[in-house]
Amino acid sequence: MLGPLALATILAVSAPATREGGSPGGPVGSRILLRGYDRLVIVDVAEPTQVMNEWNFAGSVRDIFAAAVSKSTLLVLGRSPGEEHPCLLALSLVDSSIERVECAGILAISVDSLSETAFLLERQAGDPNAVQMVTVDLSAKPLRRGSIHPVELAAISFSVVNRGERVVLESGGFLFDLDRRTASLSRLAEGSGPSLSPDGSKLAFLQDGDLYVYDYENHIARRILNRQFWQASLLGQISWSPRGELLSLSAPTGIAGKRLRCLVVSATGKVTTSFESGTSWCGPWIWNRP
């Protein structure tokens, strides 16, 4: 658990908005996380100026570079002062409690909401050409590391759905499907920032700065969104809405490209919502609690 001094520097604000005829937070999939340097904010996509929840770590956690969410827990990967490795924090969306799970060589995090299981991608000790996946049961208190799955690949990011039945890893500019039963790998496409849809039927990723979606049923990758001519690239983290009908990602805005815009895109590539997010990255989406 975080110590009392660290907890004292964290401010959590909850101000849920209620739509007429709806539940707090609006319809399923309407809330999204904006991830800053040392601050997390949940906003309503339809009204992004409306802050629904906020965590301001005020220097106790900085360099936040990844987040993943289940129906009950928000996982955050960031550095704490004095820590060599990034630390994994678990923020409860139910009671706002905060738990530090570990500080180790974690490269990336992914969450399977169906089973309330988190997956950590870690370096294998002593082997620069391999990683391991570690499971964490989000329903256990305190959170505990579970099974370990070695992978013979120097992966840097990944995505996991369907209780770990479908896993896609990024390594060396290519995306690989992993068969966990046989530990075999098959190269899928050139790209980065893989993000599987909630049902595992589609894979979103970036290729040459544009947004692509791969359809597993038809075995076709299609570019659905081009970057603007002045943009070097669209930017991940690519996130799917809980129902899988929308994606979100960030894009540089302005001539200098130092500020970001949050893009909400349909599966056909239509930008349905776009709003300035300052220096905060867009995603993941937040599940509405019943």
Side-chain angles (χ1 to χ4, degrees):
M1 298 290 289
L2 288 175
L5 290 178
L7 279 175
T9 63
I10 297 174
L11 171 67
V13 178
S14 179
T18 303
R19 297 177 184 270
E20 184 177 352
S23 60
V28 171
S30 67
R31 298 184 297 162
I32 201 165
L33 181 78
L34 301 181
R35 171 172 53 88
Y37 173 76
D38 61 357
R39 178 172 174 259
L40 303 170
V41 176
I42 296 175
V43 300
D44 190 314
V45 170
E47 300 174 3
T49 58
Q50 174 66 52
V51 174
M52 307 180 72
N53 295 81
E54 178 181 2
W55 290 267
N56 187 345
F57 293 93
S60 63
V61 178
R62 54 185 175 82
D63 295 333
I64 298 174
F65 60 88
V69 67
S70 74
K71 294 179 180 179
S72 64
T73 306
L74 173 60
L75 293 178
V76 180
L77 197 57
R79 285 186 173 84
S80 296
E83 297 283 357
E84 178 182 359
H85 299 290
C87 296
L88 181 65
L89 303 179
L91 284 64
S92 172
L93 297 174
V94 179
D95 60 14
S96 297
S97 61
I98 302 173
E99 179 181 347
R100 183 163 58 183
V101 182
E102 65 173 272
C103 298
I106 305 173
L107 298 168
I109 53 179
S110 184
V111 165
D112 172 37
S113 294
L114 289 177
S115 60
E116 287 290 292
T117 301
F119 291 81
L120 314 181
L121 187 68
E122 299 179 339
R123 296 181 179 89
Q124 281 196 45
D127 190 347
N129 297 314
V131 297
Q132 63 186 22
M133 290 194 307
V134 181
T135 61
V136 176
D137 183 359
L138 297 179
S139 64
K141 299 298 180 185
L143 301 183
R144 298 187 300 272
R145 291 167 60 93
S147 56
I148 298 176
H149 307 273
V151 181
E152 297 302 318
L153 190 71
I156 60 173
S157 73
F158 73 143
S159 183
V160 182
V161 294
N162 293 344
R163 298 176 174 84
E165 293 179 6
R166 174 152 284 167
V167 181
V168 176
L169 300 118
E170 174 192 352
S171 178
F174 291 91
L175 305 178
F176 296 84
D177 270 324
L178 169 68
D179 187 329
R180 287 178 62 197
R181 292 170 297 180
T182 63
S184 61
L185 293 157
S186 57
R187 195 164 78 174
L188 187 63
E190 183 178 358
S192 62
S195 180
L196 287 160
S197 61
D199 64 359
S201 66
K202 294 179 174 62
L203 172 71
F205 59 95
L206 295 177
Q207 185 183 104
D208 296 327
D210 298 334
L211 177 63
Y212 282 73
V213 170
Y214 177 81
D215 187 322
Y216 275 93
E217 182 178 356
N218 298 309
H219 305 287
I220 294 175
R222 186 166 59 91
R223 181 169 54 190
I224 68 167
L225 186 64
N226 298 346
R227 67 190 185 278
Q228 297 295 325
F229 72 91
W230 49 266
Q231 292 173 327
S233 176
L234 296 173
L235 305 169
Q237 160 180 359
I238 305 169
S239 303
W240 292 85
S241 63
R243 289 178 177 168
E245 78 276 28
L246 297 171
L247 302 100
S248 66
L249 72 165
S250 297
T253 186
I255 300 300
K258 294 183 178 180
R259 298 183 68 80
L260 299 174
R261 175 173 288 274
C262 181
L263 304 180
V264 177
V265 185
S266 70
T268 61
K270 179 182 178 181
V271 177
T272 63
T273 305
S274 172
F275 60 89
E276 297 282 345
S277 56
T279 57
S280 295
W281 298 75
C282 187
W285 296 71
I286 305 297
W287 290 78
N288 277 18
R289 296 190 302 276

